[in-house]
């Protein structure tokens, strides 16, 4: 399979960490790209009309879009109940965590575009404030749900999405000070920091 990626994308990071947890990382060929809502990259749009990363092209040539769909695909290829249980309450708990963390990213990436790309006079502070309220409430909820991952065990889908969200806040929202606001989340995150795959996928601006 092939993965259209960018090194700063937290959604791509989810896919890469999941492939690692499932032992599928060696099956992926990396295709560089430059996703932007304002400048569509033909390398991506040739396969994904939405122009977004991650886009995973399966060995059958199907281009899968959206990190949640890609997660389902990878988990179906190499099922592992420790990463995502096939059924039962544990499955829904982890999918909820993934959705909360993805929701944080939707806000954080959206506001990043708002602040970096939208002309200043067209920005709407009330919108930004309402979005930040969502982000803060979801971080509060995750703080109660995200425990330190079991040392040595593969990261699960909820943990992976949470790590991707927190890593992106470090990259783009350093002044927000999430560690001070959510100290239990910070402690759980610190416990995974030494994992090679977490370090290797820390987002960087290309
Ligand atoms: N819901 C999508 C979001 C993906 C997404 O927004 N990716 C960003 C990069 S972090 C992107 O490709 N942005 C380009 C655009 O919005 O056109 C997913 O989970 O994969």
């Amino acid at each position: 399979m092939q993965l259209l990626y960018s090194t700063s994308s937290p959604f791509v990071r989810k896919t890469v960490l999941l492939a690692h947890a499932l032992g599928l990382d060696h099956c992926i060929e990396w295709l560089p790209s430059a996703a932007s809502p304002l400048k569509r990259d033909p390398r991506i749009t040739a396969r994904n009309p939405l122009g977004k990363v991650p886009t995973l092209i399966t060995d059958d040539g199907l281009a899968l879009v959206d990190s949640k769909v890609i997660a389902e695909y990878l988990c179906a290829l190499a099922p592992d109940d420790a990463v995502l249980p096939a059924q039962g309450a544990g499955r829904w708990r982890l999918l909820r965590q993934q959705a909360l963390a993805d929701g944080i990213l939707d806000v954080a990436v959206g506001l990043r575009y708002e602040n970096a790309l939208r002309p200043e006079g067209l920005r709407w502070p009330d919108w930004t404030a309402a979005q930040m309220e969502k982000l803060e409430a979801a971080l509060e909820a995750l703080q109660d749900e995200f425990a330190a991952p079991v040392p040595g065990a593969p990261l699960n889908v909820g943990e992976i999405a949470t790590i991707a969200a927190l890593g992106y806040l470090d990259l783009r929202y350093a002044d927000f000070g999430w560690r001070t606001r959510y100290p239990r989340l910070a402690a759980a995150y610190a416990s995974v920091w030494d994992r090679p795959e977490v370090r290797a996928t820390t987002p960087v601006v290309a």
Side-chain angles (χ1 to χ4, degrees):
M1 13 182 196
Q2 297 175 308
L3 182 69
L4 282 154
Y5 77 98
S6 95
T7 55
S8 60
S9 167
F11 294 105
V12 168
R13 189 183 192 194
K14 283 178 60 192
T15 300
V16 177
L17 283 173
L18 184 62
H20 180 276
L22 296 170
L24 292 172
D25 37 342
H26 62 282
C27 308
I28 294 179
E29 183 190 342
W30 307 91
L31 304 180
S33 64
S36 160
L38 288 191
K39 192 163 181 288
R40 286 160 68 76
D41 181 342
R43 292 171 294 185
I44 308 173
T45 53
R47 308 311 299 259
N48 174 357
L50 299 175
K52 295 188 180 193
V53 291
T55 298
L56 184 87
I57 301 151
T58 70
D59 290 344
D60 297 333
L62 180 66
L64 293 175
V65 307
D66 198 286
S67 59
K68 284 196 196 70
V69 174
I70 294 169
E72 289 289 336
Y73 179 77
L74 295 178
C75 287
L77 269 189
D80 182 341
D81 267 11
V83 176
L84 182 65
Q87 54 196 352
R91 175 178 178 82
W92 302 115
R93 188 176 55 78
L94 296 191
L95 288 177
R96 170 184 154 85
Q97 271 183 20
Q98 176 181 225
L100 285 176
D102 280 7
I104 289 168
L105 283 176
D106 287 339
V107 169
V109 171
L111 288 182
R112 159 80 190 157
Y113 291 149
E114 172 88 8
N115 294 322
L117 302 179
R118 191 188 289 264
E120 201 164 350
L122 298 178
R123 293 179 201 153
W124 184 15
D126 289 356
W127 173 263
T128 299
Q131 291 293 305
M132 285 305 287
E133 232 177 274
K134 288 179 196 286
L135 180 142
E136 288 167 18
L139 282 167
E140 194 67 56
L142 272 184
Q143 167 150 267
D144 292 332
E145 299 183 24
F146 180 67
V150 179
L155 294 170
N156 67 43
V157 160
E159 291 163 351
I160 284 169
T162 305
I163 289 165
L166 297 176
Y168 188 74
L169 294 183
D170 278 341
L171 179 73
R172 299 292 193 197
Y173 292 80
D175 293 347
F176 175 65
W178 69 266
R179 285 182 177 74
T180 313
R181 292 167 186 247
Y182 311 98
R184 281 177 283 127
L185 211 44
Y189 186 70
S191 75
V192 298
W193 180 241
D194 273 344
R195 288 179 179 246
E197 73 274 27
V198 173
R199 282 182 181 267
T201 56
T202 299
V204 289
V205 180

